[in-house]
Amino acid sequence: MLSKLFLDIAPLTVSLFFIMGAFVVFQIIFSGIRKILQSKNINIDEYALRSVLGIIYILVLLFIMQSSIRNANESWIYINFQIVSVIFYTVILSVHFQYHIFGPIILAFMLFNSAIYSWQSWCLAIILIIFYYSLNYIKTHTKEKFPFFHYMLLSIILGSAYWYFTALKFSISNDILIKEIIYLIIMELFTFGYIAILYTDIESRTALFKEATHDKLTETYNYDAFDIDFRSLFKNTAVTNVKSTMMMFDIDHFKNINDTYGHLTGDKVLRSVVKIVQNIIQNTDPNIKLYRTGGEEFNIIFPNYSVQSTQEIVEQIFQAVNHSRIPIDGHLINVTISVGVSEINESDVSVNDFYSRVDRALYHSKRNGRKEITVI
């Protein structure tokens, strides 16, 4: 337990630990709610969930803090947390600028503090709105992944202005004003530094994840990613009884392309085929995934699709690739594919039962002259 003596002696240290704890607690709450919703098979927009939850979390935190010092002599002691809360809401949650949300919140906060008739309070509200808008502007109009120095400069300028009007409203001495501005700058350094580390960590983990789950040549998902998603799909289908389908296709006579034009040309053909297929998938349903599971073999998983509902997109992919003439080094290379399609059914005891059936469908297409779609 932190004693009052420690709070009085080291308010900055306590503030920094409080900020970090607030960030961690929010992430725990968000992750917990997301897992609960996912376990109940409830489709959610994580961005919207994070935004709504963030608004509620910040408001509850601020009102609890403000209630504890309402009508007290030093009712300004949580000013720095108000500024950091705006940073948290704007930079960490990445919520778009919305007057209809932010304005009423500030108005309610002023009514709560009986400050509606204070001109200094209106100046403080305007500064917060400008701060919020400016953070969003920096975030969307700079090429840097995390514009640390832009954020810091803006926060120091507007934070100091915020404290200036606070000092006018509460008749705060210059010594306390300077000390609180210094505290604010340190807290902002800590906050933006913490966020910068998170960004770096996320980028590193994203890069590692992509390297582990994506094929280096075609940049589509690799066999490891396919194996994980395929088993997960089979398990979810068994639990929810929702139809799911898989398409497997193979580039016809690919060895002849390599032998005739060389492996570099073969690589270009693979990338071209992937581009054709990915464009169709993205324009149809981004939840559909393409995987390179062998040299010239690919799989497409259709979650929540029956065979009948995949017929149009399978045919579209089939026709698009088979009618393509890929220009490479002065040559126009005609590419065709053989396709096998099937959906998970009740007789499939394991993932191997389903996979083998799709594989048999593909083999049937290849054995019967290729350039064919077989559905089992």
Side-chain angles (χ1 to χ4, degrees):
M1 292 286 294
L2 292 170
S3 66
K4 185 177 185 304
L5 177 63
F6 184 74
L7 290 171
D8 291 338
I9 293 174
L12 178 60
T13 304
V14 174
S15 298
L16 295 179
F17 275 104
F18 179 84
I19 291 170
M20 186 167 65
F23 291 166
V24 172
V25 169
F26 172 77
Q27 191 58 42
I28 291 172
I29 294 172
F30 170 71
S31 298
I33 292 176
R34 181 179 59 184
K35 284 189 176 181
I36 290 171
L37 294 175
Q38 289 175 344
S39 68
K40 296 182 180 296
N41 294 315
I42 299 174
N43 292 323
I44 57 169
D45 181 341
E46 291 192 13
Y47 176 82
L49 174 64
R50 195 177 183 88
S51 300
V52 172
L53 189 62
I55 294 171
I56 296 172
Y57 179 74
I58 291 171
L59 287 179
V60 169
L61 198 61
L62 284 175
F63 275 102
I64 289 174
M65 294 167 66
Q66 201 63 27
S67 297
S68 67
I69 46 92
R70 193 180 181 192
N71 299 321
N73 292 330
E74 296 182 344
S75 57
W76 45 265
I77 61 175
Y78 291 130
I79 288 293
N80 283 340
F81 290 113
Q82 294 176 15
I83 298 172
V84 171
S85 294
V86 176
I87 295 172
F88 173 80
Y89 182 70
T90 312
V91 180
I92 291 186
L93 299 184
S94 296
V95 180
H96 294 298
F97 183 55
Q98 297 176 3
Y99 291 98
H100 67 280
I101 291 179
F102 199 58
I105 289 173
I106 289 180
L107 184 60
F109 205 73
M110 291 173 67
L111 288 170
F112 180 78
N113 287 289
S114 302
I116 198 73
Y117 297 111
S118 168
W119 69 270
Q120 295 99 332
S121 295
W122 281 105
C123 290
L124 294 173
I126 291 170
I127 291 172
L128 277 185
I129 292 175
I130 293 172
F131 186 40
Y132 182 37
Y133 176 81
S134 301
L135 286 173
N136 272 283
Y137 184 85
I138 289 173
K139 183 175 60 183
T140 57
H141 289 77
T142 54
K143 295 182 179 179
E144 300 174 52
K145 292 183 179 178
F146 187 77
F148 176 87
F149 293 105
H150 292 81
Y151 283 146
M152 272 303 304
L153 181 61
L154 174 70
S155 300
I156 291 172
I157 294 172
L158 292 182
S160 298
Y162 197 79
W163 266 110
Y164 171 77
F165 285 102
T166 300
L168 290 179
K169 179 178 178 179
F170 295 102
S171 300
I172 298 172
S173 67
N174 289 334
D175 289 343
I176 294 177
L177 174 62
I178 293 171
K179 183 180 71 173
E180 291 297 334
I181 290 175
I182 292 173
Y183 282 177
L184 175 61
I185 292 171
I186 294 173
M187 291 171 68
E188 289 170 343
L189 279 168
F190 177 87
T191 303
F192 286 123
Y194 177 76
I195 300 171
I197 291 172
L198 287 180
Y199 268 71
T200 303
D201 183 53
I202 290 171
E203 286 182 355
S204 298
R205 283 188 283 123
T206 301
L208 289 172
F209 177 78
K210 185 172 182 179
E211 185 175 340
T213 60
H214 285 68
D215 176 55
K216 291 183 179 179
L217 175 63
T218 61
E219 296 187 357
T220 191
Y221 290 102
N222 61 18
Y223 181 83
D224 290 334
F226 168 75
D227 187 55
I228 293 170
D229 291 346
F230 181 60
R231 292 178 186 278
S232 176
L233 177 79
F234 188 84
K235 181 180 178 181
N236 290 338
T237 301
V239 172
T240 61
N241 292 319
V242 175
K243 298 290 186 181
S244 291
T245 300
M246 185 168 72
M247 167 185 173
M248 186 183 298
F249 71 89
D250 195 291
I251 299 177
D252 297 328
H253 305 295
F254 185 72
K255 185 177 183 301
N256 291 344
I257 295 175
N258 278 333
D259 291 343
T260 304
Y261 301 104
H263 288 280
L264 290 178
T265 297
D267 290 346
K268 292 178 181 178
V269 168
L270 288 171
R271 286 194 290 266
S272 297
V273 169
V274 164
K275 186 176 181 180
I276 292 170
V277 177
Q278 289 284 36
N279 284 339
I280 294 172
I281 289 174
Q282 289 301 316
N283 291 329
T284 305
D285 183 355
N287 291 318
I288 300 169
K289 288 185 178 181
L290 170 66
Y291 307 82
R292 184 187 179 196
T293 51
E296 67 273 17
E297 186 175 280
F298 296 85
N299 287 69
I300 300 176
I301 289 178
F302 298 85
N304 305 324
Y305 280 78
S306 65
V307 164
Q308 289 76 16
S309 59
T310 64
Q311 183 176 355
E312 183 177 345
I313 185 173
V314 169
E315 184 66 28
Q316 190 177 358
I317 291 170
F318 181 74
Q319 294 296 337
V321 175
N322 289 339
H323 286 86
S324 63
R325 291 169 61 84
I326 301 173
I328 298 176
D329 300 331
H331 303 283
L332 286 176
I333 300 177
N334 295 313
V335 178
T336 64
I337 57 174
S338 298
V339 178
V341 183
S342 188
E343 73 178 40
I344 299 175
N345 60 45
E346 295 179 356
S347 64
D348 295 326
V349 178
S350 69
V351 291
N352 291 331
D353 294 335
F354 178 43
Y355 187 88
S356 296
R357 188 168 61 256
V358 182
D359 190 50
R360 286 200 309 274
L362 173 60
Y363 182 71
H364 181 274
S365 294
K366 293 170 69 174
R367 188 180 56 189
N368 285 271
R370 296 183 171 85
K371 195 180 178 182
E372 183 177 313
I373 299 174
T374 301
V375 179
I376 297 180

